[in-house]
Amino acid sequence: QQQVKQSPQSLIVQKGGISIINCAYENTAFDYFPWYQQFPGKGPALLIAIRPDVSEKKEGRFTISFNKSAKQFSLHIMDSQPGDSATYFCAASGFGGKLTFGTGTRLTIIP
Amino acid sequence: KAGVTQTPRYLIKTRGQQVTLSCSPISGHRSVSWYQQTPGQGLQFLFEYFSETQRNKGNFPGRFSGRQFSNSRSEMNVSTLELGDSALYLCASSGRGTYGGYNEQFFGPGTRLTVL
């Protein structure tokens, strides 16, 4: 019940296109859903996060869509750029500091 | 503000040894969490400390332990190292966040531990 399932495992998108990564969770006690971006040799960096009282949150080219009834959330990267090539992790947490992470999506943006 | 710092960045140990990793959180942050990252298991939560007290613990054996000091700096220790302990160990610090009061976690660069 603590799992967060993430798909796809890898994704190739053309420059300027939209990258979409999906996550699903089981534990209804989760109420905070961040996305992290990780480059090789670096720690994960917080990109954007959402709480279930809103269905969408946008920050620049990054948007989280949240569907509470389906227990799913997704990250959309608009106008994808080569610099966005990285591994993306969704995560979820309830009360306290424990984040449960998805398995990661390796995103490659091609010219 | 300076980010989360972790030392050392790289470490090579042999089976049976023990190791101590250090984490300095962002100034003003009182919560420190530790995670293990491996290609096979992904990112897994080890434990969280807040005001020198362990507040949450993941499903790792007792060989993994940690502590937090009064200045919020934290250490984690792994005793009797096994080959499977080879991983990137990440520390994250949390302070007052912007997402509805939840504490956002900011990660350090990690310590790459190799057990031979």
Side-chain angles (χ1 to χ4, degrees):
Chain A
Q1 197 169 6
Q2 293 294 318
Q3 270 190 317
V4 175
K5 295 181 180 178
Q6 184 172 347
S7 64
Q9 190 173 10
S10 62
L11 181 61
I12 300 174
V13 174
Q14 275 204 310
K15 179 182 174 183
I18 302 174
S19 304
I20 302 174
I21 304 170
N22 301 299
C23 284
Y25 64 98
E26 300 168 357
N27 188 344
T28 54
F30 288 150
D31 62 357
Y32 170 67
F33 302 89
W35 284 88
Y36 284 85
Q37 178 190 58
Q38 186 176 28
F39 293 104
K42 305 285 187 181
L46 179 63
L47 256 184
I48 186 172
I50 198 169
R51 293 192 68 198
D53 51 353
V54 296
S55 60
E56 186 175 280
K57 184 169 183 69
K58 183 176 180 179
E59 289 186 0
R61 296 185 295 109
F62 300 92
T63 299
I64 300 178
S65 296
F66 189 86
N67 185 329
K68 186 175 181 179
S69 61
K71 292 186 284 184
Q72 295 175 347
F73 59 111
S74 60
L75 176 69
H76 292 61
I77 305 174
M78 313 299 287
D79 186 27
S80 299
Q81 299 296 313
D84 296 331
S85 296
T87 300
Y88 292 81
F89 293 94
C90 62
S93 75
F95 177 79
K98 175 183 176 180
L99 285 171
T100 299
F101 283 89
T103 49
T105 296
R106 181 170 291 182
L107 174 65
T108 303
I109 307 301
I110 57 174
Chain B
K1 267 187 182 177
V4 178
T5 58
Q6 291 187 245
T7 56
R9 292 292 313 279
Y10 302 91
L11 207 47
I12 299 175
K13 292 286 187 178
T14 56
R15 281 181 298 173
Q17 287 187 310
Q18 76 166 23
V19 66
T20 299
L21 313 181
S22 181
C23 171
S24 293
I26 293 170
S27 178
H29 286 191
R30 296 168 62 191
S31 169
V32 173
S33 300
W34 288 89
Y35 294 82
Q36 181 196 64
Q37 185 174 25
T38 60
Q41 300 298 315
L43 280 151
Q44 292 189 293
F45 173 78
L46 280 155
F47 28 67
E48 182 212 3
Y49 287 86
F50 181 83
S51 293
E52 302 179 65
T53 301
Q54 188 180 87
R55 189 162 68 172
N56 214 335
K57 189 177 188 303
N59 296 324
F60 279 81
R63 299 185 298 106
F64 292 82
S65 63
R67 60 178 175 167
Q68 186 179 35
F69 302 95
S70 58
N71 62 358
S72 295
R73 190 177 68 84
S74 177
E75 289 181 346
M76 69 162 279
N77 184 277
V78 187
S79 63
T80 319
L81 284 166
E82 301 177 0
L83 295 178
D85 297 334
S86 293
L88 181 67
Y89 289 89
L90 292 158
C91 165
S93 80
S94 303
R96 188 171 298 278
T98 59
Y99 293 100
Y102 267 77
N103 293 334
E104 301 163 2
Q105 293 194 28
F106 298 92
F107 284 82
T111 294
R112 172 74 62 186
L113 172 65
T114 302
V115 182
L116 302 175

